[in-house]
Amino acid sequence: MTARVLVIGEIRDGHLLASSLEAVGAARACAGPSDRLEGLLVGPAAAAASPAFAAAGLASVACVADAALERPTPWAWSRAIVAAATAAGAELVILAGTAAGRDVAGRVAARWEAAAVTGVTAIGRAPGGRLRLSRPVFGGRATQEVEVAAPRAVLAVRPHAFPAPAPTASAAPATELPGGTGPEGDGRILGFEHVEGGAGPDLGDAAVVVSGGRGVRAADNFSLIEELARSLGAAVGASRAVTDAGWRPVSYQVGQTGKSVTPQLYVAVGISGAIQHLVGMVSSRVIVAINSDAQAPIFRVADYGIVGDLFAIVPALTREVRRVRGIA
Ligand SMILES: Cc1cc2nc3c(=O)[nH]c(=O)nc-3n(C[C@H](O)[C@H](O)[C@H](O)COP(=O)(O)OP(=O)(O)OC[C@H]3O[C@@H](n4cnc5c(N)ncnc54)[C@H](O)[C@@H]3O)c2cc1C
């Protein structure tokens, strides 16, 4: 039997997010040869973004060019997603592992009477065809194996858990679905407040993160962290000691009361490795710690550790990265 999987793309500032391509990678990881993968894009930039989405290996992309869907509000998006999933006869809906994807997943599941699982890092089939999923729990200290008994499921995948498929030359058709989601009903956005973030990639989405802690000693010295991050094309993070001191805004904070990140590479500089920090970054693929105290707990989770003075190591590392990458 052919199963249908609907992958939801997310567009920000007119561009399809890389994490949406990872969601297609997740769909391909669980699809059989006869399964059909379809995409859905919503908002005014849907049609423009559809070729890049389709090129990830989708059989078709449905577009809802409704301006009311530009921002991923759970109430309006869930209505559009459930309508598209029903029209496609889908049994599985997969969303990117962004804050919006996780937010929307629950609402879609409730509306569509489906199971919802977020933070998914592996997808397979159990005997009998049921979905079998893995997701990290307890801040990445354990992995939960979930078997979905419901006939339908909504998944939000963990950032960087699935590779984005290499683009194909596919010219999958883009179809127009009607908009008209009506009034927003149970919620209305009153406005947006700009949250100051670091230069470079988004912290929650970045493949490389460089974070600084109290070891940098002063707000001005944090530029050392930012220069290393710039040389690596990385996002900048911080421990709570840094944000509490007001050296950088709270939007930089990684950890229990900050952001959870799962980059390919996490560089922790002058961060001791308190449990509240670890829960936000311990699932990173490779962890590098720079700390003058060889007993610092961060070294227990680090793949590579450098024991020494960050004020000597970080500028040298930045120079070397710039030299290797040919940055003037
Ligand atoms: C409810 C609650 C929630 C919390 N949530 C978070 C959270 O979300 N995120 C978070 O990060 N914390 C959180 N915390 C705080 C957490 O417990 C730690 O206090 C905090 O992470 C410590 O930050 P730090 O590692 O930068 O500072 P410290 O623990 O002071 O560590 C500084 C490190 O820098 C090293 N160092 C000093 N000088 C140098 C040098 N010259 N070169 C190299 N290394 C040097 C030291 O050896 C030390 O290991 C929370 C705490 C509570 C109670």
Side-chain angles (χ1 to χ4, degrees), residues 214 239-240 253-257 270 272 276-277 291 309-310:
R214 198 184 336 245
S239 71
R240 178 156 161 185
Q253 188 176 313
V254 172
Q256 181 184 323
T257 42
S272 59
Q276 296 89 352
H277 187 80
N291 198 302
D309 182 4
L310 72 89

Side-chain angles (χ1 to χ4, degrees), residues 236-303:
V236 180
S239 71
R240 178 156 161 185
V242 167
T243 59
D244 277 356
W247 297 348
R248 285 300 178 270
V250 75
S251 57
Y252 282 57
Q253 188 176 313
V254 172
Q256 181 184 323
T257 42
K259 289 188 177 139
S260 285
V261 297
T262 50
Q264 305 288 339
L265 173 64
Y266 187 88
V267 185
V269 183
I271 292 177
S272 59
I275 183 66
Q276 296 89 352
H277 187 80
L278 297 186
V279 296
M281 45 62 76
V282 77
S283 301
S284 305
R285 189 149 293 170
V286 174
I287 298 171
V288 175
I290 302 170
N291 198 302
S292 53
D293 176 5
Q295 305 305 318
I298 191 76
F299 288 125
R300 289 191 214 132
V301 300
D303 299 283

Side-chain angles (χ1 to χ4, degrees), residues 38-284:
E38 301 185 13
L40 174 68
L41 291 170
V42 300
S50 76
F53 201 29
L58 297 170
S60 67
V61 177
C63 298
V64 184
D66 186 338
L69 298 172
E70 181 168 11
R71 303 219 180 245
T73 50
W75 48 90
W77 267 45
S78 62
R79 213 171 289 148
I81 292 170
V82 170
T86 306
E91 65 174 35
L92 188 58
V93 166
I94 302 186
L95 294 125
T98 58
R102 292 194 301 274
D103 201 14
V104 168
R107 187 70 74 113
V108 173
R111 218 180 256 279
W112 199 36
E113 296 183 356
V117 185
T118 58
V120 173
T121 52
I123 309 177
R125 293 276 177 188
R130 285 181 177 186
L131 269 182
R132 181 172 284 170
L133 310 161
S134 304
R135 61 196 292 259
V137 290
F138 302 122
R141 291 172 158 214
T143 301
Q144 185 180 54
E145 301 292 336
V146 182
E147 210 170 285
V148 178
R152 300 196 283 230
V154 182
L155 314 181
V157 298
R158 184 110 174 169
H160 311 303
F162 296 89
T168 64
S170 138
T175 54
E176 274 287 325
L177 286 183
T181 50
E184 289 184 337
D186 44 357
R188 192 158 64 90
I189 292 175
L190 300 177
F192 286 91
E193 192 181 329
H194 178 73
V195 177
E196 196 187 330
D202 180 65
L203 182 56
D205 205 30
V208 182
V209 174
V210 180
S211 284
R214 198 184 336 245
V216 304
R217 292 191 205 146
D220 287 349
N221 297 338
F222 211 81
S223 58
L224 288 177
I225 306 297
E226 287 159 343
E227 279 163 28
L228 177 58
R230 203 173 304 124
S231 72
L232 289 165
V236 180
S239 71
R240 178 156 161 185
V242 167
T243 59
D244 277 356
W247 297 348
R248 285 300 178 270
V250 75
S251 57
Y252 282 57
Q253 188 176 313
V254 172
Q256 181 184 323
T257 42
K259 289 188 177 139
S260 285
V261 297
T262 50
Q264 305 288 339
L265 173 64
Y266 187 88
V267 185
V269 183
I271 292 177
S272 59
I275 183 66
Q276 296 89 352
H277 187 80
L278 297 186
V279 296
M281 45 62 76
V282 77
S283 301
S284 305

